[in-house]
Amino acid sequence: MFFMLLSSILATPLVTALVIMFLPRERTTWPRWAALAGTVLAVILTTLLVMRFDGAAGGYQLAVTMPLIPSIGIQYALAVDGMGLVMVILTAIIIFTGVLASWEVDNRPQEFFAFLLVLVTGVFGVFISRDLFLFFLFYEIAVLPMYLLIGIWGTGKKEYSAMKLTLYLMLGSALMLVGILALYFSGAVQNFHLEIIAQKMFTPGFQKIVFPVLFLGFGILAGFWPFHTWSPDGHASAPTAVSMLHAGVLMKLGAFGIIRIGIELLPIGASFWAPYLALFTLVNIVYGAMVAMAQTDLKYVIAYSSVSHMGIVLLGICTLHPIALNGAVLQMFSHGIMTGLFFALVGMVYGRTHTRIIPEMGGLAKKMPFLAMAFTVGGLVSLGLPGFSGFVAELLVFLGAFQVRPILTVIAVTGILFTAIYVLRVVQKIFFGPEKTAFAIISDANFIEKLCLSILMLVLLAVGIYPKVLIQFINLSIEPIHALLGAVQ
């Protein structure tokens, strides 16, 4: 049974998507129930994966390898390590709550939930692939449905946003493909399996040329400045569940790829370029927070907040310090849950007020006390309050970064100040400002919405109180990377 566990996690959303497409079109509620069943099964399988994973052994576990195209070295190779396990947990939580947050979708629900689940198949695939061709294939499967999900079910400038997002991400894919082909054709053996590629002795010159190509390719999806502009427009136009997946897990694929492919395979190139790339992540953190302060559209505030928080992830990665790397991966998880909570809330508030413009709202806490409480919790996580996951993650990043680049770290910490300003301003104006007569009869969250938000808030609180539950898995992946970097420095 456990032999098939990773394949089952991978197949569950894809099979559910196919089932949904064969449901009778007149049964408009069936797609959402089928999607919910599929995501519940994914959560159960992920729970079994956590129980099965041997935290004492570490390394890659539950490996499955079968040849697909032996003549060119492509195989169906799956395995999971500690970092991949944490990302799989994140994905299972976000897609389950994303389906709950999309319960009222009535425009072509079959296609909507099917595309959503295909996208998640790609995300799961990236986190557990051990073959570079398979990794790239799943990466594309995760990215391409975004164009349709935003273009058809989005709002505002949806066609422009969908096209801009697609072009940027295709640019990233092109750079990644160049880097992957360089890794594949270098050396005497041409094989896509990551373990075989890792055994190749890449020269320092080769690594210094290929690493920045891969970093930029993955960095575009991670919101790396100045290639981040697709992200706020994409967030603003995307439907709720797509925004949750977009910021919650898709942007994490970029950061995950930098660590898994860039640093693990090209440690000399990473050590050479990291000090320079860290300067750009500083712009991510401070510039993203300052632009968020200037926004009046609630979704743009959250979108630029994501740019800033992903800057903290990228700063942790660029320090190459083990504490900061642990913090970066934990921040990927924390930000994924937090931003999922935020975008779910934005969708619920918009569904009642029909506006996202902050000055047009006020005094909503009296009409929507649960939503106000949930938004406040999200805000506290965003500004790194102790007791929530964001505090632990950011503390680890800054502790590690200070030991390597103290001046950059001090400047980066100022981003927290700007974050506090825009978070508190938004909470005060929307929920505790003067009441607007236009919202006299709106209601609070219903049972399904409360369930969705409660799960996300409990996860943020649980990780904040007992972060060891995730750090013990993350560190299993970071220790070998640290040893690898130490050997080349």
Side-chain angles (χ1 to χ4, degrees), residues 285-294 308 382-383 411-425:
I285 297 170
V286 179
Y287 167 81
M290 293 182 71
V291 174
M293 286 172 53
S308 179
S382 182
L383 54 86
I411 298 172
V413 170
T414 62
I416 296 177
L417 174 64
F418 298 127
T419 301
I421 293 172
Y422 69 74
V423 166
L424 296 176
R425 179 180 69 93

Tab-separated table of all heavy atoms in Angstrom, residues 285-294 308 382-383 411-425:
chain	number	residue	atom	x	y	z
A	285	ILE	N	11.591	42.839	-0.263
A	285	ILE	CA	11.021	42.975	1.077
A	285	ILE	C	10.543	44.397	1.332
A	285	ILE	O	9.379	44.625	1.711
A	285	ILE	CB	12.071	42.570	2.144
A	285	ILE	CG1	12.455	41.105	1.983
A	285	ILE	CG2	11.530	42.820	3.554
A	285	ILE	CD1	13.654	40.687	2.819
A	286	VAL	N	11.409	45.367	1.123
A	286	VAL	CA	11.090	46.750	1.489
A	286	VAL	C	10.167	47.392	0.455
A	286	VAL	O	9.150	48.016	0.813
A	286	VAL	CB	12.393	47.566	1.647
A	286	VAL	CG1	12.055	49.006	2.010
A	286	VAL	CG2	13.275	46.933	2.714
A	287	TYR	N	10.505	47.242	-0.822
A	287	TYR	CA	9.682	47.842	-1.881
A	287	TYR	C	8.268	47.243	-1.878
A	287	TYR	O	7.275	47.964	-1.985
A	287	TYR	CB	10.362	47.610	-3.227
A	287	TYR	CG	9.494	47.891	-4.431
A	287	TYR	CD1	9.310	49.186	-4.899
A	287	TYR	CD2	8.863	46.839	-5.115
A	287	TYR	CE1	8.516	49.434	-6.004
A	287	TYR	CE2	8.073	47.082	-6.221
A	287	TYR	CZ	7.898	48.373	-6.660
A	287	TYR	OH	7.105	48.609	-7.749
A	288	GLY	N	8.172	45.911	-1.727
A	288	GLY	CA	6.849	45.268	-1.719
A	288	GLY	C	5.987	45.800	-0.590
A	288	GLY	O	4.796	46.090	-0.783
A	289	ALA	N	6.575	45.961	0.607
A	289	ALA	CA	5.805	46.465	1.748
A	289	ALA	C	5.409	47.925	1.547
A	289	ALA	O	4.280	48.324	1.885
A	289	ALA	CB	6.633	46.309	3.026
A	290	MET	N	6.315	48.739	0.984
A	290	MET	CA	6.000	50.162	0.777
A	290	MET	C	4.908	50.340	-0.271
A	290	MET	O	4.015	51.181	-0.114
A	290	MET	CB	7.269	50.920	0.366
A	290	MET	CG	8.317	50.994	1.464
A	290	MET	SD	9.787	51.921	0.998
A	290	MET	CE	9.134	53.580	0.955
A	291	VAL	N	4.960	49.544	-1.336
A	291	VAL	CA	3.907	49.647	-2.363
A	291	VAL	C	2.569	49.159	-1.794
A	291	VAL	O	1.513	49.728	-2.116
A	291	VAL	CB	4.305	48.840	-3.616
A	291	VAL	CG1	3.169	48.819	-4.637
A	291	VAL	CG2	5.554	49.412	-4.245
A	292	ALA	N	2.607	48.127	-0.943
A	292	ALA	CA	1.366	47.658	-0.310
A	292	ALA	C	0.719	48.769	0.504
A	292	ALA	O	-0.512	48.887	0.560
A	292	ALA	CB	1.664	46.444	0.579
A	293	MET	N	1.536	49.603	1.146
A	293	MET	CA	1.011	50.711	1.950
A	293	MET	C	0.231	51.704	1.100
A	293	MET	O	-0.715	52.348	1.584
A	293	MET	CB	2.171	51.460	2.627
A	293	MET	CG	2.810	50.739	3.785
A	293	MET	SD	4.296	51.595	4.364
A	293	MET	CE	3.672	53.235	4.633
A	294	ALA	N	0.633	51.840	-0.178
A	294	ALA	CA	0.022	52.857	-1.033
A	294	ALA	C	-1.232	52.374	-1.749
A	294	ALA	O	-1.901	53.169	-2.431
A	294	ALA	CB	1.057	53.325	-2.067
A	308	SER	N	6.518	41.040	-0.770
A	308	SER	CA	7.420	41.335	0.339
A	308	SER	C	7.771	40.066	1.129
A	308	SER	O	8.937	39.824	1.446
A	308	SER	CB	6.760	42.362	1.270
A	308	SER	OG	7.589	42.649	2.366
A	382	SER	N	0.986	38.161	9.603
A	382	SER	CA	1.738	38.892	8.588
A	382	SER	C	2.811	39.779	9.203
A	382	SER	O	3.919	39.890	8.671
A	382	SER	CB	0.773	39.747	7.754
A	382	SER	OG	1.470	40.428	6.745
A	383	LEU	N	2.504	40.415	10.318
A	383	LEU	CA	3.507	41.290	10.914
A	383	LEU	C	4.393	40.566	11.932
A	383	LEU	O	5.161	41.180	12.657
A	383	LEU	CB	2.864	42.537	11.521
A	383	LEU	CG	1.729	42.418	12.537
A	383	LEU	CD1	2.301	42.259	13.915
A	383	LEU	CD2	0.860	43.654	12.476
A	411	ILE	N	18.418	46.260	7.296
A	411	ILE	CA	17.539	46.971	6.350
A	411	ILE	C	16.278	46.156	6.080
A	411	ILE	O	15.164	46.684	6.028
A	411	ILE	CB	18.296	47.250	5.032
A	411	ILE	CG1	19.497	48.154	5.295
A	411	ILE	CG2	17.365	47.890	4.008
A	411	ILE	CD1	20.404	48.326	4.093
A	412	ALA	N	16.446	44.830	5.935
A	412	ALA	CA	15.287	43.967	5.652
A	412	ALA	C	14.261	43.998	6.785
A	412	ALA	O	13.053	43.948	6.543
A	412	ALA	CB	15.754	42.535	5.399
A	413	VAL	N	14.763	44.096	8.017
A	413	VAL	CA	13.854	44.102	9.169
A	413	VAL	C	12.919	45.314	9.135
A	413	VAL	O	11.795	45.262	9.672
A	413	VAL	CB	14.666	44.048	10.486
A	413	VAL	CG1	13.786	44.303	11.693
A	413	VAL	CG2	15.334	42.678	10.621
A	414	THR	N	13.347	46.411	8.486
A	414	THR	CA	12.463	47.584	8.403
A	414	THR	C	11.188	47.269	7.642
A	414	THR	O	10.173	47.954	7.802
A	414	THR	CB	13.170	48.768	7.719
A	414	THR	OG1	13.514	48.385	6.368
A	414	THR	CG2	14.437	49.152	8.451
A	415	GLY	N	11.239	46.220	6.808
A	415	GLY	CA	10.023	45.818	6.098
A	415	GLY	C	8.910	45.444	7.052
A	415	GLY	O	7.723	45.612	6.736
A	416	ILE	N	9.272	44.927	8.241
A	416	ILE	CA	8.250	44.563	9.233
A	416	ILE	C	7.492	45.805	9.689
A	416	ILE	O	6.272	45.770	9.913
A	416	ILE	CB	8.918	43.860	10.435
A	416	ILE	CG1	9.549	42.540	9.995
A	416	ILE	CG2	7.910	43.612	11.550
A	416	ILE	CD1	10.302	41.812	11.088
A	417	LEU	N	8.229	46.933	9.814
A	417	LEU	CA	7.581	48.187	10.228
A	417	LEU	C	6.534	48.610	9.199
A	417	LEU	O	5.398	48.948	9.559
A	417	LEU	CB	8.646	49.281	10.390
A	417	LEU	CG	8.116	50.681	10.685
A	417	LEU	CD1	7.390	50.723	12.031
A	417	LEU	CD2	9.273	51.707	10.690
A	418	PHE	N	6.921	48.581	7.916
A	418	PHE	CA	5.956	48.957	6.873
A	418	PHE	C	4.776	47.976	6.844
A	418	PHE	O	3.638	48.366	6.596
A	418	PHE	CB	6.654	48.988	5.505
A	418	PHE	CG	7.757	49.999	5.417
A	418	PHE	CD1	9.030	49.636	5.011
A	418	PHE	CD2	7.529	51.327	5.761
A	418	PHE	CE1	10.049	50.572	4.935
A	418	PHE	CE2	8.543	52.272	5.682
A	418	PHE	CZ	9.809	51.896	5.276
A	419	THR	N	5.074	46.690	7.081
A	419	THR	CA	3.995	45.690	7.114
A	419	THR	C	2.995	46.013	8.219
A	419	THR	O	1.772	45.941	8.021
A	419	THR	CB	4.584	44.284	7.335
A	419	THR	OG1	5.499	43.985	6.298
A	419	THR	CG2	3.482	43.233	7.360
A	420	ALA	N	3.511	46.372	9.388
A	420	ALA	CA	2.623	46.714	10.502
A	420	ALA	C	1.731	47.891	10.142
A	420	ALA	O	0.534	47.911	10.486
A	420	ALA	CB	3.460	47.028	11.741
A	421	ILE	N	2.294	48.876	9.419
A	421	ILE	CA	1.509	50.068	9.067
A	421	ILE	C	0.341	49.710	8.160
A	421	ILE	O	-0.807	50.080	8.429
A	421	ILE	CB	2.427	51.124	8.391
A	421	ILE	CG1	3.449	51.657	9.407
A	421	ILE	CG2	1.589	52.263	7.813
A	421	ILE	CD1	4.505	52.554	8.803
A	422	TYR	N	0.622	48.942	7.070
A	422	TYR	CA	-0.493	48.692	6.151
A	422	TYR	C	-1.483	47.663	6.704
A	422	TYR	O	-2.683	47.746	6.422
A	422	TYR	CB	-0.007	48.344	4.732
A	422	TYR	CG	0.688	47.021	4.548
A	422	TYR	CD1	-0.013	45.821	4.555
A	422	TYR	CD2	2.050	46.957	4.283
A	422	TYR	CE1	0.618	44.603	4.347
A	422	TYR	CE2	2.699	45.757	4.073
A	422	TYR	CZ	1.981	44.590	4.109
A	422	TYR	OH	2.610	43.389	3.891
A	423	VAL	N	-1.001	46.709	7.483
A	423	VAL	CA	-1.922	45.721	8.061
A	423	VAL	C	-2.886	46.389	9.044
A	423	VAL	O	-4.113	46.209	8.970
A	423	VAL	CB	-1.140	44.594	8.756
A	423	VAL	CG1	-2.075	43.768	9.650
A	423	VAL	CG2	-0.485	43.684	7.737
A	424	LEU	N	-2.347	47.181	9.952
A	424	LEU	CA	-3.193	47.840	10.951
A	424	LEU	C	-4.124	48.857	10.298
A	424	LEU	O	-5.283	49.009	10.714
A	424	LEU	CB	-2.311	48.517	12.007
A	424	LEU	CG	-1.455	47.551	12.842
A	424	LEU	CD1	-0.551	48.310	13.791
A	424	LEU	CD2	-2.341	46.582	13.629
A	425	ARG	N	-3.637	49.547	9.252
A	425	ARG	CA	-4.487	50.514	8.550
A	425	ARG	C	-5.674	49.823	7.887
A	425	ARG	O	-6.817	50.279	7.988
A	425	ARG	CB	-3.655	51.257	7.483
A	425	ARG	CG	-4.444	52.276	6.675
A	425	ARG	CD	-3.540	52.949	5.652
A	425	ARG	NE	-3.125	52.027	4.597
A	425	ARG	CZ	-3.750	51.880	3.437
A	425	ARG	NH1	-4.827	52.595	3.175
A	425	ARG	NH2	-3.306	51.025	2.530
